[in-house]
Amino acid sequence: MHSLTPTDTFAADTDPLGRERSHLAASRAALKAMREDVEALDLRDVTGTWVSARVLQRQIDDRIKALADLAHTPLFFGRLDYLHAISEAESEGSGGEQFYIGRRHVHDADGDPMVIDWRAPVSQPFYRASRKDPLDVAKRRRFGYTGGELTAYEDENLSDPDEGDTRSALLAAEIEKPRVGPMRDIVATIQPEQDEIVRADITGTVCVQGAPGTGKTAVGLHRVAYLLYAHRERLARTGTLVVGPNRSFLQYIEQVLPALGELDVAQATVQELVGHVEVRGTDTADTARIKGDARMAQVLRNAVRAGITVPTEPCVVVRGSRRWRVPAYELEEIVRELMDRDIRYGAAAEALPQRIAHAVLVKMEHGGEAPDDRVQDAVARNTAVKAVVKASWPAVDPVKLVHRLLSDAEFLAAAADGILDADEQATILWAKAPRSARTAPWSAADAVLIDETTDLVHRTASLGHVVVDEAQDLSPMQYRAVGRRCTTGSATVLGDLAQGTTPWATDSWQEALHHLGKDGAHIEELTQGFRVPGEVIAYASRLLPAIAPGLAPATSVRDTPGSLTIRHVPAGRDEAVLAACQDALRHEGSVGLIAADARIPALAEMLGAAGLPCLEPGTETTADARLTLVPASLAKGLEYDYVVLDEPTAIIAGEPDHRTGLRRLYVSLTRAVSGLTVLHTDPMPNELT
């Protein structure tokens, strides 16, 4: 590795670092010019109406934001020197054999590229090339930065058979760099197996089983950025969405995509997706498990269709001086035909009056008249026809229907006959039925049932691509809710079966993908960790036989002796926790104090009394506030340079069952990047010892 020191006095024409720094300065100037060109655009002569002017101005504002030069973010992080020239089409117009790889495309005043977007085809060998398969690359150069300044470079001569394989020092330094603030992108450190997932075709769904520290979340976000680059027009029409487990998690990851120049990706929790009602109640674990069971989809379908009745009386339509009669048997045929078709309840309700009107028009034609479409629409709005529709195919309000289902034992019994047994029905019924849907104590699981019912009535709009992270915690009904958002699109499913911490957590990805509606999805497994130290992941992996038997234990590229400390504290645990936090804060980077949820208020009071400011999970750390107090229930997906873990047995005891408690502990043990200190007064769980 070659580093720049304050004593460097080489001229730019003889010092490679000087030349690279000159190229960085020129690239930043070119990016500034690109931004100024957009800012200088005058829309007054090119927009016809205020609407088109507003739309175009928004597009320009987004373009200006995308062209922002982030001072502390490297504009390029690598360089490829090819053995042979690349065609102009393949190199985005460069036609040369040397390419700087960065977060976005930058061109000079003549339109020649100075930095190539990492997502472009010509950039792919930066991640995939090796001595075994150099992909026509002679040399790969990596750059090191400090505070936005280029300070080092490192070369790999892939075409030199005499040069042995060595671990990249710059790559290791970037992976292990302390974190202050939200989650960073991994664009400079993407590994070959990660790159294959990132660039997978948009037409297929990819499921990633990723052990802690393997970068699965970052891989999913970079996949969104890649798809938006490769299929921008398509996804601009259909939309993209990132689904996370909670708001804290989404706040933690929200800066990754903007750092890659992507500003228009929606982010939401599952609860926000199904926000048809205000959630004010909670369910027991058993109740939530049954409400989240896939069988509830059929129960709801039966409930929605429970009001359909076959007409027993004819429909008589009066038009002027004539009366047209549709006999009951014809009406019955129409209704039964719609019942047999697999279409939405609301769509059938809209089709029924038109079908009856068509039957009337046939009779009118036989009677010598020549009605047209306007007559059919008028007949469909006739009072007699509307009366038949209202009686045979009554309107359904999804919220009111679920309210009735959970309140009315007889209605539930009819809808769940042969699907849920009597005990299961009793479990999900409200003990005391609320007076109305408006005052009902809706739970998170109830909101998903309402979303399912809403889709049974009217089809949910589909997006082009959906990324769902921490997917192992979703119930079958939640999978269905997410799947409805990508029925005509694709998905990237990210998770770790060992980190499933809900009573309904999935046991296999095949089952989860079935509920998502993506049975043919390709499943990838990431087992090599890049962030969690080997000593820590090996210790946490002792739990795998109990929480996820058959799952391959994770490994780590980082061998950092001394990264794990297990300390028994017979007395004065609070003081020991405080001392451990103070010790961790002496190091650079973020610190997370993870504890059982019930311990959080006491720990917050203790830290406040000691004058240690602490943040809530997902809040951006600063130089003055680097300690985050993390309830174990919110630790998933987050990471900190140093973690202090308070009383493992209390974390286990905070869950409804022992296996879920062990999984919650596994999550908590694997949040550290540089060091983990475990403090306990009670005996450690047998599974760890």
Side-chain angles (χ1 to χ4, degrees):
M1 183 175 71
H2 309 268
S3 298
L4 187 66
T5 68
T7 59
D8 278 317
T9 57
F10 296 108
D13 59 343
T14 60
D15 176 22
L17 264 172
R19 291 199 301 272
E20 299 296 13
R21 295 183 74 177
S22 295
H23 187 78
L24 175 62
S27 298
R28 288 197 184 282
L31 180 61
K32 181 181 179 182
M34 291 170 62
R35 182 183 174 99
E36 290 173 347
D37 286 345
V38 179
E39 291 173 333
L41 290 175
D42 188 349
L43 304 182
R44 288 174 296 182
D45 296 330
V46 297
T47 54
T49 66
W50 69 268
V51 175
S52 58
R54 186 77 59 87
V55 171
L56 188 55
Q57 186 61 55
R58 180 182 174 185
Q59 292 174 343
I60 289 176
D61 291 342
D62 289 344
R63 176 67 173 163
I64 292 171
K65 291 178 183 177
L67 289 171
D69 186 4
L70 307 177
H72 296 289
T73 301
L75 193 54
F76 57 80
F77 48 80
R79 196 184 86 188
L80 287 178
D81 294 356
Y82 278 91
L83 287 168
H84 304 96
I86 306 293
S87 71
E88 185 171 325
E90 290 176 314
S91 62
E92 295 189 339
S94 168
E97 59 180 12
Q98 186 180 90
F99 306 97
Y100 287 85
I101 312 301
R103 285 169 170 75
R104 59 158 303 104
H105 175 87
V106 179
H107 61 255
D108 61 17
D110 296 324
D112 293 327
M114 302 184 70
V115 180
I116 300 292
D117 195 303
W118 67 276
R119 297 167 288 187
V122 75
S123 302
Q124 184 170 334
F126 183 80
Y127 303 106
R128 302 276 186 96
S130 64
R131 282 185 176 77
K132 187 175 181 180
D133 186 12
L135 301 176
D136 203 40
V137 174
K139 181 168 66 180
R140 173 168 50 206
R141 174 168 288 183
R142 299 183 189 275
F143 297 106
Y145 288 82
T146 302
E149 290 296 320
L150 196 159
T151 55
Y153 73 89
E154 179 184 73
D155 287 340
E156 294 176 84
N157 294 305
L158 301 181
S159 60
D160 187 351
D162 297 327
E163 187 170 314
D165 287 317
T166 57
R167 187 186 179 203
S168 168
L170 281 180
L171 186 61
E174 178 64 25
I175 290 173
E176 298 171 12
K177 185 182 295 183
R179 291 179 183 250
V180 175
M183 181 181 183
R184 295 199 309 261
D185 63 73
I186 62 166
V187 64
T189 63
I190 293 173
Q191 300 299 296
E193 63 272 21
Q194 296 173 325
D195 190 63
E196 289 183 9
I197 297 169
V198 167
R199 298 176 192 264
D201 190 75
I202 191 174
T203 58
T205 290
V206 178
C207 175
V208 182
Q209 159 61 40
T214 54
K216 58 183 177 294
T217 297
V219 166
L221 296 174
H222 285 68
R223 174 158 170 73
V224 172
Y226 171 77
L227 293 177
L228 285 168
Y229 174 89
H231 307 279
R232 189 166 301 279
E233 289 188 8
R234 173 176 176 176
L235 292 179
R237 294 193 307 270
T238 56
T240 53
L241 172 68
V242 175
V243 180
N246 52 59
R247 242 322 122 182
S248 296
F249 176 84
L250 292 176
Q251 289 173 354
Y252 179 62
I253 68 171
E254 66 182 356
Q255 294 303 317
V256 173
L257 288 168
L260 299 172
E262 299 301 342
L263 306 172
D264 294 326
V265 179
Q267 297 183 355
T269 64
V270 173
Q271 200 55 54
E272 290 166 346
L273 285 184
V274 299
H276 305 284
V277 293
E278 181 183 354
V279 174
R280 297 192 297 266
T282 57
D283 288 319
T284 65
D286 283 343
T287 301
R289 180 181 54 79
I290 296 170
K291 288 180 178 178
D293 193 298
R295 293 176 296 165
M296 286 300 300
Q298 185 59 48
V299 174
L300 293 169
R301 181 180 175 85
N302 292 345
V304 166
R305 291 172 166 258
I308 300 175
T309 57
V310 176
T312 56
E313 298 291 333
C315 176
V316 179
V317 176
V318 178
R319 292 276 299 174
S321 61
R322 305 193 65 174
R323 295 159 58 90
W324 307 99
R325 182 176 182 275
V326 181
Y329 76 87
E330 282 192 40
L331 296 174
E332 178 181 350
E333 289 177 357
I334 293 171
V335 170
R336 291 194 182 280
E337 194 269 336
L338 288 174
M339 291 173 64
D340 292 339
R341 292 178 61 188
D342 188 23
I343 59 175
R344 295 299 192 278
Y345 185 90
E350 293 172 359
L352 180 56
Q354 291 291 336
R355 298 291 298 276
I356 296 173
H358 178 73
V360 172
L361 259 66
V362 170
K363 298 181 184 303
M364 294 173 70
E365 289 172 348
H366 289 166
E369 297 191 15
D372 56 19
D373 290 344
R374 290 174 297 177
V375 174
Q376 179 167 327
D377 290 339
V379 172
R381 295 191 299 269
N382 183 273
T383 302
V385 173
K386 289 196 291 186
V388 173
V389 172
K390 183 177 180 180
S392 301
W393 209 282
V396 169
D397 182 313
V399 176
K400 291 180 179 178
L401 183 132
V402 176
H403 171 264
R404 181 186 176 192
L405 192 72
L406 301 178
S407 304
D408 187 336
E410 291 186 4
F411 184 56
L412 175 60
D417 184 35
I419 302 171
L420 303 179
D421 62 34
D423 289 340
E424 290 173 321
Q425 293 175 34
T427 299
I428 65 173
L429 274 171
W430 280 320
K432 182 180 180 181
R435 290 185 177 181
S436 68
R438 181 174 298 179
T439 61
W442 297 111
S443 69
D446 296 335
V448 179
L449 298 181
I450 293 171
D451 189 70
E452 178 84 25
T453 306
T454 301
D455 184 71
L456 287 168
V457 178
H458 300 291
R459 184 182 298 277
T460 303
S462 175
L463 298 166
H465 193 79
V466 173
V467 174
V468 53
D469 204 355
E470 302 297 347
Q472 74 281 343
D473 276 340
L474 300 187
S475 70
M477 291 298 286
Q478 287 175 320
Y479 278 118
R480 291 175 61 89
V482 174
R484 282 192 284 278
R485 272 75 186 177
C486 56
T487 50
T488 59
S490 56
T492 300
V493 182
L494 311 165
D496 180 9
L497 297 178
Q499 296 185 57
T501 51
T502 55
W504 49 84
T506 186
D507 290 323
S508 77
W509 288 120
Q510 287 82 1
E511 177 187 351
L513 291 166
H514 172 72
H515 295 311
L516 192 71
K518 305 293 183 183
D519 287 291
H522 179 63
I523 301 176
E524 289 279 355
E525 187 171 4
L526 297 176
T527 59
Q528 187 176 59
F530 302 96
R531 296 287 292 168
V532 183
E535 191 175 0
V536 173
I537 196 66
Y539 182 71
S541 293
R542 296 181 185 182
L543 296 174
L544 287 179
I547 62 176
L551 201 63
T555 60
S556 177
V557 300
R558 300 180 57 206
D559 183 16
T560 50
S563 57
L564 175 65
T565 301
I566 312 294
R567 187 179 305 158
H568 179 239
V569 184
R573 193 178 74 209
D574 284 359
E575 291 78 7
V577 168
L578 178 60
C581 290
Q582 292 170 330
D583 184 58
L585 287 168
R586 294 188 181 96
H587 300 281
E588 184 183 2
S590 58
V591 178
L593 171 55
I594 303 178
D597 290 30
R599 281 271 291 160
I600 295 300
L603 291 174
E605 184 178 350
M606 177 198 70
L607 294 172
L612 271 185
C614 61
L615 305 169
E616 295 183 356
T619 306
E620 185 171 341
T621 57
T622 66
D624 298 323
R626 295 185 290 119
L627 174 63
T628 303
L629 182 56
V630 187
S633 63
L634 295 181
K636 192 172 298 177
L638 307 178
E639 65 176 28
Y640 303 92
D641 290 294
Y642 293 89
V643 167
V644 177
L645 182 63
D646 173 75
E647 199 60 81
T649 55
I651 292 175
I652 297 173
E655 299 300 325
D657 60 82
H658 187 67
R659 189 183 78 156
T660 303
L662 289 176
R663 286 181 166 183
R664 185 74 72 188
L665 178 59
Y666 179 78
V667 171
S668 301
L669 288 169
T670 53
R671 300 304 96 199
V673 173
S674 296
L676 170 66
T677 299
V678 180
L679 302 175
H680 68 102
T681 298
D682 297 334
M684 294 289 279
N686 293 332
E687 291 82 359
L688 278 177
T689 58

